Amino acid sequence: MGHQVIIFDFSLIRGLWETRVKKNKERQRREKERLEKSSLEKIKQEWNFILECRKKGIPQSKYLKNGFVDTDKKILDTYGKTPELQKRHVLSDEANKERNKFIFQLSGEQWMEFPDSLKEQIYLKEWHVYNTLIQTIPAYIALFQDLRVLDLSKNQINHLPVEIGCLKNLKVLNVSFNNLKSVPPELGDCENLEKLDLSGNMEITELPFELSNLKQVTVVDVSANKFHSIPICVLRMSNLQWLDVSSNNLKDLPEDIDRLDQLQTLLLQKNKLTYLPRALVNMPKLSLLVVSGDDLVEIPTAICESTTGLKFVSLKDSPVETIVCEDTEEIIESEREREQFEKEFMKAYIEDLKERGMC
């Protein structure tokens, strides 16, 4: 039997969550101070020292004296210089360097364009670029045939180049919280894509039909945009498991939404839905459905009484009774920042449901 979980005020629960986080941090700080002054901290230090000695193969006779642990750092330093251990550390460092040389990272508002040297590193497998003032992705990205992860969140990117379709091995594309207004049809050529995040761009209204080719996609996030309906191409992503269309302008859901028979999580809160189609009951793997209950006038009884284990969460989010902590008001200066904050809240909220065994 399914369970209906109703949260009467989304804003209230958010305010309570913020307060709880603050109290928890303060409690952790006080506990840390207390432990530092207690014998528990000493025991912890001794145990960590023993573990470090064991990792380095140091015999007990060197650090245990009359039943007491000698935490003299010289013991670690002396044995840390053995040829065998040094060789092990060198191999570990070399492995990390080998991995890192395939990853490109860039952040900071001093960057307004990609460095020229990047075009020579076509062996890269991952790009992680965030919090810059970069507006365009260079056309030479087509040369990066080994690229698996393209994470360009929180920049100023205003369009995706058609060359992005050349990235046949791309698995993750994250261009969330940029300034995109559209997506090129060529993205549908990235046939191995598994995760697509377009959230927080605020202006995207539709997706090209060519994205129907993305049969490997399991996660699609188009929240915080201006979609009036779930794109047809999304309904044809046969392997989709997670769909977030929250904070858009949806007025209804397609009657054939049950085509997404692999879907497990559907986030629809902060839209303009007035009813939910019965087809939702025909989605065997759907385990979490989140909506805003303000405008809903019709909810099929079968959804609340589903025998598939569906958890139905109806969030009330009345703008008249908004409760926001003072610290939050200072942080949130724009609609985009508010969406980022609420996205983090929903992530924590869903994790909390999972921890309590409700999802």
Side-chain angles (χ1 to χ4, degrees):
M1 182 74 81
H3 301 281
Q4 182 179 16
V5 182
I6 299 184
I7 306 303
F8 290 99
D9 192 330
F10 188 30
S11 300
L12 175 60
I13 199 76
R14 182 174 62 221
L16 293 174
W17 174 69
E18 293 168 339
T19 303
R20 186 181 67 179
V21 169
K22 285 183 179 179
K23 288 182 178 179
N24 187 51
K25 286 183 178 179
E26 179 62 22
R27 187 163 54 248
Q28 288 177 340
R29 185 186 65 78
R30 290 198 300 266
E31 181 67 10
K32 182 180 180 182
E33 291 177 353
R34 186 185 70 79
L35 286 174
E36 287 174 349
K37 298 176 182 178
S38 71
S39 58
L40 287 175
E41 183 63 22
K42 184 179 179 181
I43 293 173
K44 180 181 177 183
Q45 288 176 355
E46 290 179 349
W47 179 243
N48 287 336
F49 186 82
I50 292 173
L51 289 177
E52 192 64 28
C53 288
R54 287 178 178 175
K55 286 181 182 177
K56 294 189 174 184
I58 301 174
Q60 285 188 5
S61 59
K62 298 297 181 181
Y63 58 84
L64 282 181
K65 297 179 180 179
N66 298 322
F68 293 95
V69 180
D70 181 2
T71 56
D72 190 343
K73 294 291 184 182
K74 291 180 180 179
I75 298 174
L76 293 176
D77 293 338
T78 301
Y79 278 84
K81 294 176 181 178
T82 61
E84 183 179 348
L85 194 62
Q86 285 183 333
K87 182 179 180 181
R88 196 184 307 165
H89 284 164
V90 169
L91 290 174
S92 178
D93 290 342
E94 288 178 351
N96 287 332
K97 287 180 181 178
E98 185 68 18
R99 281 194 298 269
N100 289 336
K101 81 175 186 179
F102 293 105
I103 300 175
F104 172 69
Q105 299 187 67
L106 191 71
S107 66
E109 294 187 354
Q110 71 271 25
W111 294 100
M112 301 186 71
E113 57 184 22
F114 289 95
D116 290 337
S117 59
L118 180 59
K119 67 180 68 173
E120 300 169 4
Q121 304 176 56
I122 59 174
Y123 53 82
L124 290 171
K125 294 183 178 180
E126 298 184 18
W127 286 18
H128 297 272
V129 181
Y130 54 94
N131 291 330
T132 74
L133 298 180
I134 293 175
Q135 297 184 22
T136 59
I137 301 173
Y140 62 70
I141 194 173
L143 301 174
F144 290 75
Q145 290 297 300
D146 291 327
L147 203 60
R148 303 290 194 277
V149 176
L150 184 56
D151 186 348
L152 306 175
S153 58
K154 300 177 184 177
N155 295 290
Q156 301 295 319
I157 296 169
N158 51 41
H159 80 281
L160 296 178
V162 296
E163 288 81 4
I164 201 167
C166 298
L167 305 178
K168 305 299 184 183
N169 291 306
L170 191 66
K171 292 183 178 297
V172 176
L173 175 60
N174 183 353
V175 282
S176 62
F177 295 96
N178 279 281
N179 297 320
L180 297 176
K181 294 185 177 180
S182 63
V183 175
E186 287 78 7
L187 181 59
D189 295 331
C190 299
E191 55 194 25
N192 287 302
L193 195 66
E194 296 176 1
K195 180 177 180 180
L196 174 61
D197 192 343
L198 299 167
S199 63
N201 280 283
M202 313 303 287
E203 298 291 333
I204 302 177
T205 59
E206 58 184 0
L207 295 179
F209 182 79
E210 286 78 2
L211 268 60
S212 300
N213 298 328
L214 304 178
K215 303 301 184 184
Q216 301 303 314
V217 168
T218 59
V219 176
V220 170
D221 190 340
V222 291
S223 60
N225 279 289
K226 291 186 177 178
F227 287 93
H228 290 277
S229 62
I230 295 179
I232 294 176
C233 63
V234 171
L235 295 175
R236 284 167 168 71
M237 295 177 181
S238 55
N239 206 33
L240 194 62
Q241 298 175 20
W242 174 292
L243 176 58
D244 189 346
V245 204
S246 60
S247 298
N248 276 280
N249 297 320
L250 301 187
K251 293 184 178 179
D252 54 34
L253 298 178
E255 292 296 334
D256 60 343
I257 192 170
D258 53 357
R259 294 178 57 145
L260 299 173
D261 57 4
Q262 299 300 308
L263 196 66
Q264 299 173 16
T265 300
L266 178 57
L267 306 181
L268 299 167
Q269 71 274 11
K270 297 188 69 177
N271 277 288
K272 300 176 181 179
L273 298 171
T274 56
Y275 78 97
L276 299 176
R278 186 180 175 81
L280 289 169
V281 183
N282 302 326
M283 302 171 72
K285 295 191 177 181
L286 186 62
S287 59
L288 178 64
L289 170 64
V290 182
V291 300
S292 292
D294 289 321
D295 298 321
L296 284 175
V297 295
E298 183 180 344
I299 303 174
T301 305
I303 291 180
C304 302
E305 298 180 350
S306 170
T307 58
T308 62
L310 171 64
K311 304 300 180 294
F312 173 57
V313 182
S314 178
L315 300 172
K316 296 288 185 179
D317 192 12
S318 173
V320 180
E321 299 177 336
T322 302
I323 298 177
V324 182
C325 293
E326 292 182 4
D327 290 348
T328 306
E329 279 187 327
E330 293 177 4
I331 296 172
I332 299 175
E333 299 176 352
S334 69
E335 184 181 356
R336 192 185 300 270
E337 288 174 334
R338 181 173 294 279
E339 290 294 347
Q340 288 184 39
F341 175 80
E342 292 190 350
K343 197 168 188 65
E344 287 300 315
F345 163 74
M346 277 307 301
K347 181 179 178 181
Y349 179 69
I350 292 174
E351 287 299 319
D352 183 57
L353 286 179
K354 290 179 178 179
E355 288 176 6
R356 288 186 284 147
M358 299 179 65
C359 176

